[in-house]
Amino acid sequence: MKIMILGADGYLGWPTAVDLAFKGYNLMLVDNYLKRKLMSKYKKKPLVSSPKLNKKVSLLNKRKCNVDYSNIDCTKFINLNKLVASFKPDAVIHYAELPSAPYSMIGYDESWTTLQNNLQTTLNLIWSIKNLKKSCHIIKLGTMGEYGTPNIDIEEGWINIKHNGRKDKFMYPRQASSLYHTSKIMDTDLLWFYVRMFQMQVTDLMQGPVYGILENEFMEINNLHNTYSYDEIFGTVLNRFIVQATTKQPLTVYGSGNQIRGYINIKDCLKCIELAIKNPPDNGDMNIYNQFTEQFSVNQLAYKIKKALKKIDIDVVITKINNPRKEKEKHYYNAKNNSLMKLGLKPTLLTNDEIIKIAQYVLKYKKNIDKSIINPKTKWV
Ligand code: USQ
């Protein structure tokens, strides 16, 4: 099967490429390094740096993988259209979006860059696939944050509504709390519109905050690490907490810490991607799956880390700081996540061992940690 991965240099893109390459898929990796450029502009860096795709791909192909790469900018339609027409993918995994809520809230330029990059890439992909004149499954990484924190159960993508004696099925209401998350809502809407217009095949994976690293011998031996971010803009909460804990800094719980999210280990994210590849919707249909395995409040997460790391003699301090974001801190949260399990996902739960494994990885590269980039400076209002 020929698979194109947009955003193949990133935290999820690169491990996905390694995973699928060793499973024998024929891959085309695409990235224009926008995230690297922004990280360097805002003086942020990942825990361990890694080479660009040319080097990474040549190492994969030395191991008999079938992988090519291109560093085109997907916001330029001509480039993406040409690449799709020549590679003729059976599926495209679309990660090529700016993923940071804090980045999108810095100011006008950052909000526009997020909106423009994310929507233009999605629209260009839709039209490139339409021009291909062949069935091609778009697998788009969405986000649980599109739903926000409604006072009712969160369904998987769709909801049946009964109104004045009649009923119909609609997309579940979406109400995000950052411009980034709002750009993902607009993405979903675009895809759903064109599924109806062009009979496309789309899977939208509504992922919660992802954490951890892919333990992979090939990546380890060749120093081709995940881009594990821990800074205030590009790091997600669990990865940040582990870095704070291992450098003896207090875990920064924003506000009351009662905000609940659905979390997922990066290893499970890769399993979900393969399940999506193997279970495409019919033409003119859109699968929407909630991609998380467990729900916790930020406080519960912080205490889990404290408890686990005590076992390796790390004393964790937890502190509550003024919430730099505008989000509900006390709310109902009950999101469904049965679909991926029904397809075969066996969740990797956040056990003490899993937390310790991530901490041991971080400890190995402790000398690289820049403490000055951790504390939140970006405020929503
Ligand atoms: N939080 C803290 N302390 C921190 C950092 C975050 O308490 O030091 C809190 C936040 O206030 C929030 C929760 O932890 O309530 C999650 O924050 P996050 O930064 O881990 O996640 P978020 O900004 O929502 O975005 C991340 C990814 C994004 C993905 C999303 C899934 O950056 O790409 O779409 O997780 S979800 O949150 O379900 O929308």
Side-chain angles (χ1 to χ4, degrees):
M1 234 184 136
K2 294 168 89 174
I3 300 201
M4 197 173 222
I5 304 178
L6 310 184
D9 185 54
Y11 176 56
L12 301 178
W14 173 237
T16 304
V18 172
D19 187 51
L20 297 180
F22 282 104
K23 285 177 174 153
Y25 289 91
N26 176 356
L27 302 181
M28 170 61 75
L29 310 187
V30 182
D31 209 296
N32 68 339
Y33 307 115
L34 176 61
K35 175 126 173 274
R36 285 189 191 237
K37 287 174 204 151
L38 291 176
M39 285 188 74
S40 122
K41 179 173 173 192
Y42 291 88
K43 301 195 169 39
K44 312 294 182 216
K45 48 187 179 191
L47 182 65
V48 198
S49 56
S50 67
K52 290 191 175 171
L53 288 176
N54 53 347
K55 171 103 191 282
K56 297 199 273 205
V57 164
S58 81
L59 287 163
L60 274 176
N61 287 337
K62 278 189 188 144
R63 300 278 293 261
K64 297 195 168 55
C65 294
N66 187 0
V67 184
D68 201 350
Y69 75 96
S70 165
N71 69 353
I72 58 157
D73 176 353
C74 297
T75 66
K76 306 281 178 284
F77 177 64
I78 283 186
N79 300 347
L80 186 60
N81 191 43
K82 223 162 114 185
L83 192 65
V84 167
S86 66
F87 184 67
K88 300 187 176 49
D90 298 300
V92 179
I93 301 166
H94 176 17
Y95 289 131
E97 305 215 358
L98 285 174
S100 166
Y103 171 79
S104 75
M105 299 300 288
I106 293 174
Y108 174 78
D109 288 347
E110 293 80 2
S111 63
W112 175 238
T113 305
T114 303
L115 208 57
Q116 186 253 339
N117 180 77
N118 294 1
L119 294 182
Q120 207 165 5
T121 299
T122 303
L123 187 73
N124 290 349
L125 176 62
I126 290 166
W127 278 92
S128 302
I129 301 296
K130 179 186 184 275
N131 291 347
L132 187 60
K133 300 204 184 327
K134 161 189 166 183
S135 268
C136 174
H137 179 191
I138 297 179
I139 298 167
K140 204 258 312 189
L141 198 83
T143 168
M144 285 298 292
E146 288 183 35
Y147 302 123
T149 48
N151 199 29
I152 56 171
D153 292 349
I154 297 176
E155 303 297 324
E156 298 206 52
W158 310 94
I159 188 166
N160 292 311
I161 295 181
K162 225 173 165 182
H163 182 66
N164 292 347
R166 304 181 68 80
K167 54 184 179 184
D168 205 345
K169 182 179 161 191
F170 294 92
M171 208 162 246
Y172 189 92
R174 280 141 164 88
Q175 186 166 255
S177 59
S178 83
L179 191 274
Y180 151 73
H181 289 99
T182 303
S183 77
K184 304 286 278 193
I185 296 177
M186 294 172 169
D187 248 9
T188 304
D189 239 336
L190 260 185
L191 285 161
W192 176 220
F193 173 72
Y194 281 112
V195 163
R196 300 190 316 267
M197 291 302 115
F198 296 164
Q199 299 294 296
M200 309 195 78
Q201 287 174 287
V202 173
T203 297
D204 200 1
L205 298 171
M206 312 293 278
Q207 186 166 261
V210 60
Y211 61 85
I213 43 136
L214 177 68
E215 298 127 34
N216 177 283
E217 191 211 343
F218 163 78
M219 284 164 71
E220 198 59 33
I221 295 174
N222 294 293
N223 272 323
L224 305 176
H225 296 270
N226 288 43
T227 21
Y228 185 110
S229 290
Y230 57 93
D231 65 85
E232 54 121 5
I233 294 181
F234 297 102
T236 48
V237 62
L238 200 147
N239 288 353
R240 283 168 50 70
F241 279 1
I242 302 271
V243 166
Q244 290 170 335
T246 50
T247 50
K248 299 201 172 357
Q249 297 179 83
L251 311 193
T252 49
V253 170
Y254 294 170
S256 72
N258 292 315
Q259 308 89 303
I260 302 170
R261 299 289 181 271
Y263 292 85
I264 184 164
N265 189 308
I266 192 166
K267 292 182 271 193
D268 285 359
C269 163
L270 303 189
K271 290 184 212 156
C272 294
I273 292 289
E274 215 196 350
L275 288 171
I277 294 171
K278 290 182 168 160
N279 294 281
D282 295 333
N283 282 331
D285 229 346
M286 183 156 167
N287 286 340
I288 306 182
Y289 302 138
N290 291 349
Q291 187 163 304
F292 70 92
T293 52
E294 296 170 279
Q295 287 185 186
F296 314 113
S297 71
V298 179
N299 285 329
Q300 286 167 328
L301 194 63
Y303 280 104
K304 269 179 176 287
I305 292 171
K306 185 179 170 74
K307 194 174 122 229
L309 297 191
K310 209 170 171 46
K311 297 194 183 300
I312 54 167
D313 296 325
I314 296 178
D315 269 327
V316 174
V317 177
I318 299 170
T319 181
K320 288 191 175 153
I321 61 174
N322 282 340
N323 196 338
R325 306 181 179 201
K326 195 166 174 181
E327 60 186 355
K328 271 191 213 151
E329 289 179 15
K330 200 164 174 20
H331 58 87
Y332 177 77
Y333 201 77
N334 184 30
K336 308 243 169 95
N337 64 347
N338 306 328
S339 298
L340 285 159
M341 319 264 183
K342 274 195 203 144
L343 292 178
L345 175 67
K346 307 243 174 330
T348 308
L349 301 181
L350 188 64
T351 57
N352 289 344
D353 282 352
E354 281 298 321
I355 294 173
I356 290 169
K357 259 194 254 169
I358 306 169
Q360 278 164 341
Y361 176 82
V362 170
L363 282 168
K364 213 157 125 193
Y365 301 101
K366 196 175 158 186
K367 63 172 191 340
N368 297 347
I369 294 171
D370 178 354
K371 290 188 189 170
S372 74
I373 64 175
I374 299 179
N375 284 334
K377 296 194 175 75
T378 308
K379 294 194 169 66
W380 262 221
V381 286

